[in-house]
Amino acid sequence: MSRASPQPDVRAGAAGMRFAVCATRWNPEIVEHLVTGAVAALHASGAAIEPVRHCAGVFELGPLCARVARKGGIDGIVALGCLIRGDTDHYALLASEVTRALGILAMEGATSPHPLAVAFGVLACDTPEQARERADPARLNKGAEAALACIEQVHALRSAHAEVEGG
């Protein structure tokens, strides 16, 4: 596990920004820690947050986030979930699909007239212990990390949009 991931640069804060948090209900003991971390990080940065939306599992996460994006009125979406490897290929299929779906949404959002950031906060772990470590509020909390990355991406997209639009 990488413990030396770059820390998001959110010195500009998130005042005036609005975010949606979308999370799965699968592996709730892990995902709720991710949600708590993401919401706390967004609040601490001064962001407005819509009510957290939940879906059944990671396969459903991409479509939920796409629907939330289409509704509009937000600057970023933090997508949260947890996959733990099992004895079949189901894990690999789901990990691939959620990555693909959220990646497509991130590309569409980045190039839309009102840029939208999408942060990937889906854990893909070999063991429950690895998942707990990554969601631990006192340690790594990848939910908070995804929220901060989303704020940074909003700033980056706004800057790039202004350059493209000539302003």
Side-chain angles (χ1 to χ4, degrees), residues 14 26 34 43 46 49-50 66 68 78 80-81 105 108 117 125 134 166-167:
W26 198 258
L34 297 174
H43 275 303
I49 307 168
E50 293 196 350
V68 169
V78 182
L80 304 171
L105 182 61
E108 289 174 356
C125 302
R134 286 164 176 77

Side-chain angles (χ1 to χ4, degrees), residues 16-114:
M17 294 180 188
R18 184 165 196 81
F19 291 85
V21 175
C22 297
T24 65
R25 288 193 322 266
W26 198 258
N27 292 315
E29 67 284 356
I30 304 297
V31 175
E32 286 310 310
H33 282 301
L34 297 174
V35 169
T36 299
V39 168
L42 290 168
H43 275 303
S45 297
I49 307 168
E50 293 196 350
V52 176
R53 292 177 175 87
H54 287 88
C55 60
V58 295
F59 184 81
E60 296 80 14
L61 191 57
L64 174 63
C65 291
R67 186 75 240 168
V68 169
R70 179 168 284 189
K71 178 179 100 28
I74 56 173
D75 299 292
I77 298 174
V78 182
L80 304 171
C82 177
L83 288 166
I84 299 173
R85 189 180 304 276
D87 295 331
T88 68
D89 289 341
H90 191 66
Y91 164 91
L93 295 170
L94 290 175
S96 177
E97 182 60 23
V98 71
T99 301
R100 184 192 64 78
L102 292 173
I104 289 170
L105 182 61
M107 290 298 291
E108 289 174 356
T111 59
S112 72
H114 177 79

Side-chain angles (χ1 to χ4, degrees), residues 1 3 6 8 18 20 38 70 97 122 148:
M1 166 176 83
R3 289 183 174 82
R18 184 165 196 81
R70 179 168 284 189
E97 182 60 23
V122 178
L148 294 174

